[in-house]
Amino acid sequence: MKLICGLGNPGREYERHRHNVGFMVVDALLSRARAELTQDKFQARVGQGNLGGERILFVEPQTYMNLSGRSVAEAARFYKVEVQDVLVVHDELDLPFGRLQLKAGGGAGGHNGLKSMVQCLGEDAFIRVRVGIGKPEGPNAKERVAGYVLSNFDDGERRQLEELVGKAADMAESWVRDGLSTAMNRHNRKA
């Protein structure tokens, strides 16, 4: 069994925010796996399905971003999923909008959801699908990051969002089916 987690914040008011792109990708994967998030446990919405012949536990933490690791660590322990079999889909400020990257391990890079993952899982060896959302530019850009990630995609981005979410789901599915090395070689190209 593998665990695929999307990072985001619960509630309708956050649904279409940049910070919730992880939830959007998991929703796309659920459709492919003909699965639903039917259970509320581990402080998360949870469901099971099959992708690429592998049983998958899908997790959308409901703890808000900064505490996401609690849900994933609890679920991984309960289902005895090794850290290297956990894939986390998250928004990434350090990649331009539309750019995707699949990778194993690494730091949190200031992302509070990833910090929580590392802290609660006890290591950083989990797999990540980094979904580029770009970042604010200009004066006081650092001070504007929180508002930026908690805002909706602009009109131009929204027109490309479905394709971006689909490509991120392709990456996750390729990781399940083909393994990390093959999936990275296939998908880690500049958009």
Side-chain angles (χ1 to χ4, degrees):
M1 173 181 270
K2 294 185 184 300
L3 187 159
I4 297 179
C5 165
L7 294 186
N9 287 312
R12 290 191 89 78
E13 68 270 28
Y14 299 107
E15 213 168 70
R16 304 307 296 167
H17 287 178
R18 290 176 173 92
H19 227 14
N20 274 40
V21 75
F23 281 5
M24 295 174 201
V25 174
V26 165
D27 290 345
L29 287 165
L30 285 165
S31 175
R32 294 178 185 197
R34 292 182 181 83
E36 294 179 12
L37 300 176
T38 55
Q39 295 181 297
D40 290 318
K41 55 201 266 190
F42 315 116
Q43 299 177 73
R45 294 177 59 225
V46 179
Q48 291 187 42
N50 286 291
L51 273 179
E54 180 90 35
R55 201 161 128 231
I56 306 294
L57 179 69
F58 296 99
V59 178
E60 288 184 357
Q62 300 296 293
T63 56
Y64 291 93
M65 184 67 76
N66 296 0
L67 302 174
S68 302
R70 289 181 184 176
S71 299
V72 174
E74 269 186 64
R77 276 194 290 280
F78 184 85
Y79 287 99
K80 296 176 176 54
V81 177
E82 299 293 325
V83 173
Q84 64 272 13
D85 288 328
V86 172
L87 182 139
V88 177
V89 184
H90 66 90
D91 59 304
E92 180 57 63
L93 286 164
D94 291 330
L95 291 176
F97 176 82
R99 180 91 188 277
L100 297 165
Q101 183 188 42
L102 179 66
K103 69 178 271 191
H111 194 293
N112 290 329
L114 292 178
K115 282 182 193 170
S116 178
M117 286 294 156
V118 172
Q119 182 180 28
C120 295
L121 289 170
E123 58 181 291
D124 69 358
F126 55 91
I127 313 304
R128 301 122 190 262
V129 172
R130 302 169 72 212
V131 181
I133 62 167
K135 58 185 161 191
E137 300 292 332
N140 304 321
K142 277 194 195 270
E143 290 81 35
R144 295 196 334 260
V145 165
Y148 179 79
V149 299
L150 294 175
S151 67
N152 290 329
F153 290 97
D154 67 32
D155 289 342
E157 292 167 337
R158 266 197 300 277
R159 284 190 287 277
Q160 301 170 55
L161 190 56
E162 188 176 334
E163 182 182 359
L164 179 62
V165 166
K167 286 180 179 178
D170 290 345
M171 275 185 159
E173 192 170 355
S174 180
W175 167 73
V176 169
R177 180 176 286 117
D178 308 317
L180 181 63
S181 296
T182 300
M184 286 172 67
N185 286 335
R186 180 174 299 144
H187 294 282
N188 283 352
R189 306 186 290 269
K190 284 196 174 194

